[in-house]
Amino acid sequence: QVSSITRIRSTLDFATHTFFQKYGFLHVQVPIITATDTGGFSEKFQVTTLLGKTSKEEEPVGVSDADVVSLETVKAAIKEKSGVVKQLKRSDSNRESLIVAVQDLQKTNELARQIEAREKSKPVTAVKPDLLNFNDDFFGRPSYLTVSGRFHLESYASDIGNVYSFGPRFQADKTVSSKHVAEMWTVEVEMAFSQLGVRLCILKAHDTMKCAEDYFKILCKWILDNCPEDMKFVSKRIDKTITYRLEYMTTSSYDKISYREAVEILRKVPDKAFETQLQWGVPLTAEHLSYLADDHYQRPVIIYDYPKAVKPFYVRSNEDGKTVAAFELVVPKVSLNFIKREPKLYVQIGTVITGSQNEESFNVLNTRITEFDLSIDQYEWYLDLRRHGTVKHSGFSLRFDLMVLLTTGLIDVRDVIPFPRSQANS
């Protein structure tokens, strides 16, 4: 199973580069460490060289022997004192010395246990965050592992055209989920002179949604064409419907609906009680997305024009002032009428691609940063991309590990990542 999944993952990797290179996209490596948060509110991993360093004004208070003595030193003392006890036991000439030596050995053993307990419960940092002076840090400011590379891609797209990147992205989200770990690989795309184009119901050559749909279909087809033996194994051992579902997602047309239309459909569901109360302006939950893709359309569906409150600050506002030009490609877990649903646990992949047209106006973007109560200094370089004018541009992100999960029929993303990194597991 591991070898088949590894080959499928490698094939999807190759298909990604082949697709974008074929259509003239340039591959750009974006930084892993950044001072910018593309979402504005993401749970991030901080990168610093200040851990364990205290200020000169800080004095240790209530320091015990266990805080200043190393475990190696104590173990050496235990060995030495054990030898003394053995020697005293062999000679009965000084019983008081033996009692004192045994008590001393017991105290030393207790000290060793305290140090071991301290090491196990040792915090990540010995310094409180509010005591850190980031001017003394390596980068001179708070820095983080990147959540997304789209901002950096945008700077290249504005200069040389269509670009893409493929690499690890990090989120310090402690939510326990079968679809998320701390480090996940993501394919990110940025296209110059592009927009969503849905309001005219015309999918143009530079329509980002069309590009995302074509890319997704190519990945499904590429696996079927280039991994026949591995897919036979997957069909036999994991999910015997997987080949039919991939074929269906490759050949079918995808429905495109606005967020408002999605809410109207969900409100008309008579016999289904969703756990989260549905109202306009709130994010669609996994349960809502599953109903739309699995039950209503029974195929992948693209939802666009989300309320601006549920999308990042940089997404372009629509003319109505309430929605923004963002979209999600949602895939079903079963979705085929001609496949009998057996008592099997199917993974709910849900959203596999997210995308947006980004705000090109300097003044509008500056206002949005203020509305989100974000630091202008952190996004100054991003604003500079528009300071003297720019072009319409948009892009999307595909969660690569979820794509591997989709093509293998497995139910936990940890099963398709070679070395998964999650909370308390590094």
Side-chain angles (χ1 to χ4, degrees):
Q1 178 173 313
V2 173
S3 59
S4 288
I5 293 171
T6 302
R7 282 190 290 268
I8 290 172
R9 187 182 182 94
S10 177
T11 301
L12 288 171
D13 185 324
F14 182 76
T16 292
H17 289 288
T18 303
F19 174 84
F20 289 114
Q21 293 291 329
K22 177 181 178 181
Y23 290 102
F25 286 75
L26 292 181
H27 185 208
V28 176
Q29 290 83 21
V30 298
I32 296 279
I33 300 174
T34 178
T36 307
D37 178 11
T38 52
F41 44 78
S42 305
E43 294 291 337
K44 304 178 291 297
F45 290 101
Q46 189 156 3
V47 178
T48 179
T49 58
L50 298 178
L51 297 185
K53 298 179 182 179
T54 57
S55 62
K56 294 180 179 179
E57 293 77 13
E58 246 185 311
E59 295 293 338
V61 179
V63 178
S64 65
D65 290 341
D67 295 318
V68 296
V69 182
S70 69
L71 183 60
E72 291 75 15
T73 302
V74 175
K75 286 184 176 180
I78 290 174
K79 185 176 180 180
E80 181 181 346
K81 292 177 181 182
S82 297
V84 172
V85 170
K86 289 179 181 179
Q87 186 177 356
L88 290 173
K89 282 183 177 180
R90 286 196 293 267
S91 63
D92 297 330
S93 58
N94 194 338
R95 185 168 181 79
E96 282 188 17
S97 298
L98 175 60
I99 293 174
V100 172
V102 170
Q103 290 176 344
D104 190 23
L105 178 61
Q106 290 174 343
K107 290 180 180 179
T108 308
N109 281 323
E110 177 60 28
L111 179 60
R113 285 192 289 270
Q114 291 178 12
I115 294 175
E116 288 178 338
R118 181 198 67 188
E119 292 294 331
K120 290 180 180 178
S121 61
K122 193 173 182 179
V124 175
T125 175
V127 188
K128 292 182 179 180
D130 55 357
L131 297 177
L132 294 177
N133 182 1
F134 287 103
N135 291 327
D136 299 330
D137 205 356
F138 186 88
F139 295 105
R141 56 161 51 182
S143 301
Y144 313 92
L145 295 180
T146 184
V147 176
S148 170
R150 281 193 61 192
F151 279 8
H152 293 92
L153 279 180
E154 190 177 317
S155 65
Y156 269 75
S158 300
D159 180 40
I160 58 178
N162 297 344
V163 292
Y164 75 103
S165 185
F166 184 18
R169 305 293 180 256
F170 306 86
Q171 277 193 307
D173 186 352
K174 295 183 179 180
T175 303
V176 179
S177 171
S178 61
K179 298 188 295 182
H180 171 77
V181 290
E183 176 186 346
M184 296 188 70
W185 281 63
T186 303
V187 178
E188 294 176 313
V189 178
E190 206 67 33
M191 302 168 61
F193 303 100
S194 66
Q195 53 190 337
L196 265 62
V198 292
R199 276 155 293 285
L200 299 176
C201 297
I202 300 174
L203 294 177
K204 302 177 182 179
H206 292 290
D207 180 14
T208 310
M209 289 198 302
K210 183 65 167 63
C211 180
E213 179 183 338
D214 290 346
Y215 169 50
F216 177 75
K217 287 183 175 181
I218 284 294
L219 292 182
C220 294
K221 188 175 188 304
W222 201 283
I223 287 297
L224 294 172
D225 292 344
N226 295 276
C227 294
E229 295 302 318
D230 290 313
M231 292 311 295
K232 285 181 182 178
F233 174 85
V234 169
S235 298
K236 182 178 180 181
R237 298 293 185 88
I238 303 174
D239 181 1
K240 65 181 181 181
T241 69
I242 188 67
T243 299
Y244 300 106
R245 288 193 284 131
L246 289 177
E247 288 177 348
Y248 186 69
M249 285 189 284
T250 299
T251 58
S252 65
S253 59
Y254 295 1
D255 288 280
K256 297 175 178 63
I257 62 171
S258 68
Y259 170 89
R260 188 179 299 277
E261 291 173 311
V263 170
E264 291 175 357
I265 292 170
L266 293 168
R267 280 178 174 171
K268 294 177 182 178
V269 179
D271 300 323
K272 190 170 181 69
F274 298 114
E275 291 185 9
T276 302
Q277 184 178 5
L278 185 65
Q279 56 183 352
W280 197 95
V282 301
L284 299 178
T285 66
E287 190 180 25
H288 297 143
L289 297 176
S290 177
Y291 175 81
L292 289 170
D294 294 329
D295 300 309
H296 189 81
Y297 289 104
Q298 298 186 349
R299 71 183 75 180
V301 58
I302 295 177
I303 305 172
Y304 61 87
D305 283 358
Y306 276 82
K308 66 178 183 178
V310 304
K311 289 298 179 181
F313 70 92
Y314 59 84
V315 182
R316 190 179 192 276
S317 297
N318 291 328
E319 294 178 0
D320 60 13
K322 298 179 180 179
T323 61
V324 290
F327 73 93
E328 295 183 1
L329 192 157
V330 183
V331 296
K333 58 182 177 180
V334 178
S335 81
L336 298 184
N337 288 325
F338 55 84
I339 291 181
K340 295 181 179 179
R341 301 193 181 192
E342 299 181 359
K344 177 189 181 300
L345 182 61
Y346 288 94
V347 62
Q348 288 186 349
I349 299 293
T351 300
V352 69
I353 293 180
T354 60
S356 66
Q357 181 175 338
N358 298 348
E359 182 57 64
E360 72 269 16
S361 168
F362 175 90
N363 292 331
V364 173
L365 184 62
N366 194 39
T367 301
R368 292 282 283 164
I369 291 175
T370 304
E371 289 176 356
F372 274 71
D373 196 25
L374 302 174
S375 170
I376 291 290
D377 291 340
Q378 184 182 154
Y379 299 96
E380 193 67 38
W381 72 272
Y382 187 62
L383 283 166
D384 282 343
L385 299 178
R386 296 145 173 79
R387 196 175 299 275
H388 303 292
T390 185
V391 299
K392 290 184 177 181
H393 51 276
S394 56
F396 62 86
S397 303
L398 174 133
R399 300 175 69 186
F400 185 77
D401 298 306
L402 294 188
M403 189 67 206
V404 182
L405 199 66
L406 173 68
T407 55
T408 57
L410 292 167
I411 62 173
D412 195 318
V413 72
R414 293 165 182 81
D415 295 329
V416 300
I417 297 176
F419 303 97
R421 298 289 188 261
S422 56
Q423 186 183 11
N425 179 26
S426 60

